[in-house]
Amino acid sequence: VIHIRRDAGCEWLATELYELMEAQPDAVLGVATGSSPEAVYTRVTEKLLAHPLDVSGISAFALDEYVGIPNDHPESYHSFIDSHITVPWGLNPQRVHVPESAAGDDGIPVHTYDDAIAAAGGVDLQILGIGHNGHIGFNEPGTPFSRGTHVQQLTPRTREANARFFDGIDDVPRSSVTQGPATILRARRIVLLAYGASKAEAVAAAVEGPVTQEVPASVLQRHPNVTFVLDEGAASLLS
Ligand code: GLP
């Protein structure tokens, strides 16, 4: 667990990402959406502008996506990944993947997403956020740890938390496609970002509580290389 100022945590992870892409030009990144990693992606953009790298061989796999809104919807995770990562970093769009409930023109359908990650060599560095109920990706409490990428109903709490991105709760999709706990655990290295006291309970349960499917992030205790990057608020309930 790294307990650090928010901007210092962003800088640390942005440097890790930049150095990984520099050292390994065919690296496979696992990228999350949400507000927590946004500033990290901006810093990577700044680093790439200041010191350009050949990123043509870098691949990225997104964690999750809503079901029921078009890929070009401004709040879709396709749009987020495109505008925060693919375009500003100059990645090859053919190597950037976001899960889909049904195969789009060039998309990977849900049931073959894990195969596509494996075929690319597996994820070298997976970035995660955490939901207030301990979800990672969109794996809500109760999701079996054995599940791969799948379609997942969203809980009312998750839909409420994400209503800020839409005109109102009614516009928030009711389900999603998400990498499963088993998919996430196959990444070679995982970094989870959490900020603010509203995440403290979920963080404490994930790090210090029992490993239980009721707290999806607790599965990370079974992974040998996980870093939690927390500000004071998010770390406040850790012993
Ligand atoms: C969403 C995403 C998650 C993300 C979580 C936390 O539900 N599906 O991948 O980790 O929200 O988001 P934030 O970082 O905005 O708090």
Side-chain angles (χ1 to χ4, degrees):
V1 172
I2 301 182
H3 171 197
I4 196 172
R5 276 201 339 268
R6 184 171 179 155
D7 57 340
C10 287
E11 180 59 26
W12 175 80
L13 181 52
T15 302
E16 292 289 313
L17 282 164
Y18 182 90
E19 288 179 352
L20 173 61
M21 292 192 281
E22 187 174 34
Q24 208 180 309
D26 61 351
V28 179
L29 310 178
V31 288
T33 57
S35 54
S36 305
E38 256 184 296
V40 173
Y41 300 145
T42 306
R43 280 177 194 244
V44 172
T45 303
E46 288 164 6
K47 289 178 192 300
L48 287 168
L49 284 173
H51 303 283
L53 290 178
D54 176 8
V55 293
S56 59
I58 301 291
S59 303
F61 287 86
L63 259 185
D64 48 12
E65 175 58 293
Y66 292 112
V67 170
I69 57 173
N71 289 348
D72 62 1
H73 187 288
E75 291 305 332
S76 78
Y77 291 172
H78 278 81
S79 297
F80 181 102
I81 297 293
D82 217 42
S83 62
H84 290 79
I85 297 176
T86 315
V87 172
W89 296 9
L91 298 188
N92 176 355
Q94 304 295 328
R95 292 186 187 267
V96 180
H97 309 286
V98 180
E100 311 207 31
S101 55
D105 287 346
D106 51 6
I108 301 171
V110 54
H111 58 279
T112 55
Y113 199 67
D114 291 8
D115 296 338
I117 295 174
V123 169
D124 291 297
L125 175 55
Q126 175 67 55
I127 300 163
L128 295 177
I130 186 169
H132 297 108
N133 58 6
H135 74 223
I136 46 176
F138 269 131
N139 294 287
E140 300 283 34
T143 306
F145 286 159
S146 58
R147 290 211 81 175
T149 300
H150 65 283
V151 174
Q152 172 91 47
Q153 292 294 114
L154 301 180
T155 62
R157 195 170 180 198
T158 296
R159 293 184 63 235
E160 273 161 33
N162 289 357
R164 62 200 154 116
F165 299 116
F166 293 84
D167 285 339
I169 182 95
D170 291 341
D171 286 353
V172 183
R174 291 174 187 280
S175 58
S176 64
V177 189
T178 182
Q179 289 188 26
T183 318
I184 293 168
L185 236 55
R186 279 194 286 271
R188 285 184 268 281
R189 184 179 173 205
I190 298 174
V191 177
L192 184 148
L193 300 172
Y195 303 118
S198 71
K199 297 285 175 73
E201 223 172 294
V203 165
V207 177
E208 294 181 349
V211 177
T212 164
Q213 289 175 181
E214 292 314 308
V215 181
S218 68
V219 77
L220 299 174
Q221 293 181 31
R222 293 189 178 158
H223 192 282
N225 192 344
V226 182
T227 306
F228 276 63
V229 178
L230 310 170
D231 67 356
E232 200 174 338
S236 59
L237 294 179
L238 290 174
S239 62

